[in-house]
């Protein structure tokens, strides 16, 4: 039953990330999606894949997205 909660969280996080107008919020929501998928992998007894997903999907990719958004932001005049 708990796996359905994590599946729903991953799908909901991805849909909310797509619907956001603010790109920084979208980057944060991709991290939530990655973390829920990592927990789901751990629940499915794949700890090596879960650790990789937690590092890459929940930490590195959202940080890179946030840095890219920060670097490409236009200055208001």
């Amino acid at each position: 039953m708990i796996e359905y909660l994590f599946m729903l969280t991953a799908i909901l996080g991805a849909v909310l990330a797509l619907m956001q107008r603010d790109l920084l919020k979208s980057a944060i929501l991709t991290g939530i999606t990655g973390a829920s998928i990592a927990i789901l992998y751990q629940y499915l007894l794949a700890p090596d894949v879960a650790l990789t997903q937690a590092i890459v999907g929940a930490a590195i990719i959202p940080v890179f997205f946030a840095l890219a958004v920060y670097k490409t932001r236009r200055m208001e005049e």
Side-chain angles (χ1 to χ4, degrees), residues 10-28:
I11 292 169
L12 187 63
V15 168
L16 286 176
L18 287 172
M19 292 174 54
Q20 284 296 320
R21 286 218 178 268
D22 187 15
L23 294 177
L24 193 56
K25 288 180 186 177
S26 180
I28 292 169

Side-chain angles (χ1 to χ4, degrees), residues 2 12 27 57 71-72 74:
I2 192 83
L12 187 63
K71 293 283 186 178
T72 59
R74 294 184 185 190

Side-chain angles (χ1 to χ4, degrees), residues 38 41-42 46-54:
Y41 280 136
Q42 183 64 35
D48 52 343
V49 181
L51 183 62
T52 304
Q53 178 67 29

Side-chain angles (χ1 to χ4, degrees), residues 70 72-77:
Y70 180 72
T72 59
R73 236 182 241 206
R74 294 184 185 190
M75 301 285 268
E76 296 286 330
E77 291 186 36

